[in-house]
Every structure is written in structure tokens, then in C-alpha cells.
Amino acid sequence: MNTAVRRAFLALAAVVMQSAALAAQPLEVIVFPGGFNWPLWVGNEKGFFAANGVELKITPTPGSVFQMQNLAAGKFDIAISLIDNLVAYMEGQGEAPLPEPPDFFAFMGGQYGAVMLVVQPDIKSIPELKGKSLAVDAATTGYAFVLRKILQQGGLAESDYGLERVGGTAARAEALMQGKTAGTILTSPLEIVPEARGYRRLTNAVDVVGPYQAVLGVARRSWARANEAALVGYIRGYVQSLAWLADPANRTEAVAIYRKNLPQATEAGASKAWEVLLAGPEGFQKKGKLDRAGRGGGLKLRSEFGRPQKTLTDPSKYIDESYYQKALQ
């Protein structure tokens, strides 16, 4: 391709991208702060969402209660959350009441596993957590049940420890490093800084609870029906962002985007995050596809620990992959 043709091509591409951006439907997306939002940052920076007809406004949530309440109220269109959060509120087991039963559903995956128990440097085993206070987002949803199962398998009864509501994963990581909690559940890449400072990982969730679908995309069924094109466009943009992010040729630029959105991250830390989330068995899911075995892992925990107690065995009740399938056609 000669220089003149290349310039013309780039100019045309810019016009197409600009036109797409002007016509883009705004989407309000609420997320937990952290590096697992990397595909969203890439999609905004590289224009993958705009090219698919949507424009993302990303809002961090202080915790799951705020996220689920405001998603249910229609203040946000999409949440990057956990399947346990949506199941809990749909089954009337949420941390806080909602004015009416929600119509939440999961429409795509995001992150498999990469969930672990990290504790203070002087704690070497789970029995040493007896009598300690551990940080959670909410006591009856999300990773709290993962924590309880890990502690149970390690020989601790519920009366052997306390749970303190601190907030989302980033807030818990900070509380851990400030010495305000003995330990907490962290999700990649938020364990990188604590571990570099000597905080100890005791176990990975998948080693205790088995296959575990962690982060995924959540919306309301009523919103999705009325905004099918926007949701399909979001999924396409997310999948394209993941593909770009996973390409080693883009690693340097991806690290720069990471640090732009997390200014406190070092070059080494951001590069390590790429390895953790994209080069190992756990982390970002290829094409954002839900893990078939992992999506049932949360239901087993909820069936055991959720109150009022219910036996939940059918993950398809909370999932609709039809929008995802249309996006990948």
C-alpha cells in the first residue's frame, strides 16, 4: 500500500469512526474498581465500542449493594458483577431489600477464577485466622460465601471468625495493606501489590470450590429487550477489546492504557497484570464466553450458605446467552 493510498484509507477510517461515535447510544456501566475493567478501558480508548454503536460511561461502585440497587432502579444499564449477586437478589436473599423483584440476568462472561484468599504476612495457615476479623463486601452475597467455604474447608466454624463489611475488592485490598483486616478475598490483578509487599496468598478459590465463574456482564431483561442492538454492540465491542488486549503485539500500549486508568500502578505491576489476566489458566475468558462448569459453582455455595435456604441447581434460570450469540454471528 503506497503512502497516498494509506493516508486516504486512514482518513476514511477516521471518518467512519467519528460517524459511529456521533451515532453511538450512551450506556451507563457500573463496575467494581480494578484492573479487570481493562477491556472496557481498551474499548473506549481504541474505539471498539463506538464502532459498534455504543458509548460507555463507566461508574465505579463502592460495593455490591449500591450496584444492585441502582441497576434494579434503572440508573445503570449494565453491571460488571458476580453471578452470585444477581442470583441473591432474584431469590430474595440479597444483602439489602429491593422495592420489587428484579429481572437481572447474565449475558456474557468476563473473568474465570483468579479469586484468592490473601492474608497478613505473619499468617501462614487458615487455622491461624481463628478469632480474627476478615473483610468482605457484603456478608450474604458475592465472595463472602467463597471465603466461608475456604475457611470451612480449613477447619474453621462460622463462630471462629468475624466478617466486617468493608466494600468492593479494591477497598478490601487497601484495608488489608493498612492492617485493618487479617485477610480478605481478592481478585486479579488486585493481589499483585499486596503480594509484592509480602502479604500471603493462602489458597485460590478454584482449588477449594472447583470451577468458578467470577466476573460477568449483568443487565435487566426488560432493558435488554428494549435495547437489543445496544447490548449486542456492547458485547461485540467487549470481545474485540479482549482480542486486542490478548495480542502480545499490543502489550506495551495495553500497559499504557492500564496505567492511564490506574495512575498508581507501576510499569512492572501493569505488565504483571497482563501476565496474570491473559497468560494463565485463570483470568479473562477468551471471547468473554461464560464457563459452563463455573457458572454452577456459585449456585452450590448459595444453596449451602444462602438464607432463607434454597436448593438452586439450574444456572440457566439466571443466564440468557442469545444476545452473546447474535453478537458473535
Side-chain angles (χ1 to χ4, degrees):
M1 183 183 294
N2 62 43
T3 302
V5 173
R6 179 177 176 79
R7 286 176 178 170
F9 176 80
L10 291 175
L12 177 61
V15 170
V16 171
M17 292 289 287
Q18 184 177 23
S19 298
L22 290 173
Q25 177 175 334
L27 291 182
E28 296 284 348
V29 183
I30 184 166
V31 304
F32 287 92
F36 35 74
N37 296 307
W38 211 344
L40 303 184
W41 304 334
V42 165
N44 274 347
E45 183 83 13
K46 303 298 294 182
F48 295 125
F49 291 117
N52 285 284
V54 294
E55 178 184 359
L56 270 56
K57 179 182 177 183
I58 302 171
T59 300
T61 182
S64 60
V65 172
F66 181 90
Q67 185 185 57
M68 294 292 101
Q69 286 178 329
N70 285 280
L71 181 66
K75 295 180 181 179
F76 297 95
D77 305 312
I78 290 171
I80 306 300
S81 195
L82 312 177
I83 193 168
D84 184 77
N85 288 334
L86 74 93
V87 172
Y89 283 92
M90 286 182 64
E91 295 293 344
Q93 299 174 329
E95 184 84 354
L98 297 178
E100 58 186 41
D103 60 344
F104 297 150
F105 77 105
F107 58 83
M108 71 179 299
Q111 187 169 315
Y112 171 82
V115 177
M116 68 285 298
L117 172 58
V118 182
V119 299
Q120 293 293 325
D122 61 329
I123 296 173
K124 299 179 177 61
S125 66
I126 289 174
E128 292 180 48
L129 291 171
K130 186 172 183 177
K132 307 288 188 182
S133 175
L134 301 160
V136 295
D137 171 14
T140 60
T141 61
Y143 293 131
F145 291 171
V146 174
L147 176 60
R148 289 170 65 179
K149 190 65 177 179
I150 289 172
L151 297 176
Q152 180 192 84
Q153 292 289 89
L156 296 185
E158 290 182 34
S159 59
D160 288 333
Y161 56 87
L163 298 178
E164 181 180 359
R165 296 170 177 85
V166 171
T169 316
R172 299 198 307 276
E174 191 62 29
L176 179 70
M177 291 187 289
Q178 291 177 356
K180 296 179 179 178
T181 183
T184 190
I185 294 291
L186 297 182
T187 56
S188 292
L190 286 165
E191 84 284 6
I192 292 175
V193 173
E195 287 187 345
R197 297 180 182 178
Y199 294 84
R200 191 183 303 272
R201 183 191 311 198
L202 291 187
T203 187
N204 287 356
V206 295
D207 296 331
V208 176
V209 305
Y212 190 77
Q213 175 69 53
V215 179
L216 40 64
V218 181
R220 302 182 311 281
R221 292 182 187 272
S222 54
W223 177 87
R225 285 192 296 268
N227 295 273
E228 178 178 316
L231 182 53
V232 169
Y234 168 87
I235 296 168
R236 284 180 180 153
Y238 191 97
V239 172
Q240 290 168 10
S241 299
L242 275 176
W244 184 92
L245 184 56
D247 186 343
N250 299 324
R251 182 169 176 172
T252 299
E253 187 179 357
V255 165
I257 292 173
Y258 185 97
R259 296 189 68 197
K260 178 180 178 180
N261 288 273
L262 291 176
Q264 70 273 27
T266 64
E267 185 84 12
S271 186
K272 178 67 173 178
W274 191 93
E275 294 175 7
V276 168
L277 290 170
L278 291 151
E282 300 179 43
F284 290 138
Q285 293 168 289
K286 189 174 181 180
K287 295 185 177 181
K289 184 170 177 59
L290 284 161
D291 183 79
R292 186 169 294 274
R295 63 189 186 179
L299 294 189
K300 293 178 183 178
L301 293 175
R302 179 143 294 281
S303 295
E304 180 176 356
F305 296 114
R307 296 294 181 271
Q309 189 165 26
K310 298 181 180 181
T311 300
L312 308 173
T313 59
D314 182 14
S316 65
K317 177 181 177 182
Y318 316 100
I319 295 168
D320 181 353
E321 293 184 275
S322 63
Y323 300 96
Y324 177 84
Q325 291 160 358
K326 289 177 182 177
L328 266 62
Q329 286 177 354

